[in-house]
Amino acid sequence: MEQWRGRNAIVTGAGSGIGAATALELLKHGVNVIGLDVQSAKLVSLENSIKNDVAITDTPKRDQRGIFYPKVCDITNERAVQDVFVWVDDALGGVSVLVNNAGIIIRTSLLDGTLKDWTRFMDINVLAQCVCSREAYRSMTKNKINGHIVQINSICGHSKTPYFAHKMYNATKTAITVLCEGLRHELSLVDSKIKISSISPGSVDTDIFKTAQFRPSSQVVSSRPALKPNDVAAAIITVLDTPPHVEIAELTIIPNGSTIQSYRTPLPVNLSEK
């Protein structure tokens, strides 16, 4: 991670969950973090967590830690996103790392769902990532930085969720899988050394369902053990901590005891009887 020490990373959805864990981990490695979140209260809470984190604030490492810059930003607002990147360019010399973490889940049926919900899904999970990635590319190119863009995907971008009213979430994450390869393709055509990594975690213990204002069924909860946000943050450090000639294109992480493809729970099988 020495290559990123003193550099600048933008983390979307930084106020909680995977975003907050990632911000803390980057700061510990001496990376400056511009944390974006639409909720100012969450950014204040993260700032307090940073102040209370001994690994960041202990005296021997104080001059090596990164600097945290909280920015309230609605990433579905193109102008607001552009303003953040302009500020980073002007004040900090450009962005070196982008972690596209912000995302939502909504339980919405294809049979009777609303266009409002579908549009919100696409705006946050897909289009906002595209805008942030485009602006990161522009900033990195302008400042001659061989940077790294990390997209937080999902195993739902590589498999189908068998539960009712979750296929739109599948669709948004599948789009990210395709767009990551599309970014790599276009970057190769312009001879750019910017890296694109997709990280696809399984179930993660975050507030995403609380934000969606629905509780997953008992079947979903009982059949899928969960990762912690810190596990995903560690995976982000893994893909960033590679030499210039190595690019981790896709990293899939799941809790031990789970699977990439979700299955409906069958009757128990007694293997000893076979």
Side-chain angles (χ1 to χ4, degrees):
M1 287 294 291
E2 282 300 312
Q3 61 185 313
W4 306 116
R5 186 175 295 279
R7 299 295 190 95
N8 307 307
I10 290 179
V11 179
T12 68
S16 60
I18 295 170
T22 300
L24 289 168
E25 198 63 33
L26 288 170
L27 290 168
K28 293 173 188 177
H29 284 86
V31 183
N32 303 322
V33 174
I34 300 90
L36 309 188
D37 203 287
V38 72
Q39 298 185 48
S40 60
K42 287 187 174 182
L43 290 175
V44 171
S45 177
L46 176 57
E47 282 191 284
N48 292 332
S49 296
I50 292 169
K51 293 175 183 177
N52 295 326
D53 194 305
V54 175
I56 297 176
T57 59
D58 66 324
T59 303
K61 296 182 179 179
R62 187 169 296 173
D63 60 346
Q64 299 179 31
R65 70 187 186 191
I67 302 170
F68 181 61
Y69 301 95
K71 294 286 182 182
V72 177
C73 179
D74 176 1
I75 59 170
T76 66
N77 183 326
E78 182 181 20
R79 173 51 61 189
V81 171
Q82 289 174 325
D83 287 345
V84 168
F85 278 89
V86 167
W87 180 84
V88 174
D89 279 348
D90 294 344
L92 304 178
V95 63
S96 294
V97 174
L98 168 66
V99 180
N100 264 323
N101 163 70
I104 61 168
I105 185 168
I106 303 172
R107 190 172 184 272
T108 177
S109 166
L110 300 176
L111 299 179
D112 62 359
T114 66
L115 180 59
K116 179 181 178 181
D117 282 345
W118 297 341
T119 300
R120 184 165 178 250
F121 239 147
M122 295 300 294
D123 283 347
I124 296 176
N125 287 13
V126 181
L127 298 181
Q129 280 209 15
C130 289
V131 171
C132 289
S133 297
R134 183 194 66 198
E135 296 306 311
Y137 164 73
R138 289 174 175 175
S139 175
M140 293 171 186
T141 303
K142 173 185 175 181
N143 294 287
K144 296 181 172 55
I145 297 171
N146 292 329
H148 202 141
I149 298 173
V150 181
Q151 315 282 41
I152 302 303
N153 197 342
S154 168
I155 57 170
C156 293
H158 307 275
S159 63
K160 302 297 183 293
T161 306
Y163 310 110
F164 178 73
H166 285 280
K167 297 305 184 293
M168 186 60 74
Y169 183 72
N170 275 136
T172 62
K173 292 303 183 179
T174 301
I176 294 304
T177 301
V178 174
L179 291 170
C180 282
E181 180 63 9
L183 275 172
R184 280 188 287 269
H185 180 217
E186 293 192 9
L187 288 168
S188 70
L189 293 177
V190 297
D191 197 29
S192 172
K193 301 303 180 184
I194 297 170
K195 297 181 184 182
I196 305 294
S197 294
S198 168
I199 296 182
S200 297
S203 181
V204 184
D205 184 13
T206 70
D207 288 339
I208 191 169
F209 289 109
K210 185 185 296 183
T211 303
Q213 296 183 333
F214 80 89
R215 297 182 64 183
S217 68
S218 59
Q219 182 184 30
V220 175
V221 173
S222 64
S223 65
R224 301 196 71 84
L227 298 165
K228 298 296 183 183
N230 287 343
D231 298 323
V232 184
I236 293 170
I237 298 301
T238 296
V239 301
L240 290 175
D241 194 20
T242 50
H245 68 287
V246 175
E247 179 176 3
I248 298 177
E250 174 66 50
L251 180 59
T252 302
I253 57 172
I254 60 175
N256 191 13
S258 66
T259 58
I260 294 176
Q261 174 62 54
S262 297
Y263 300 94
R264 292 191 178 277
T265 306
L267 293 175
V269 175
N270 190 343
L271 297 178
S272 64
E273 294 180 356
K274 292 191 176 292

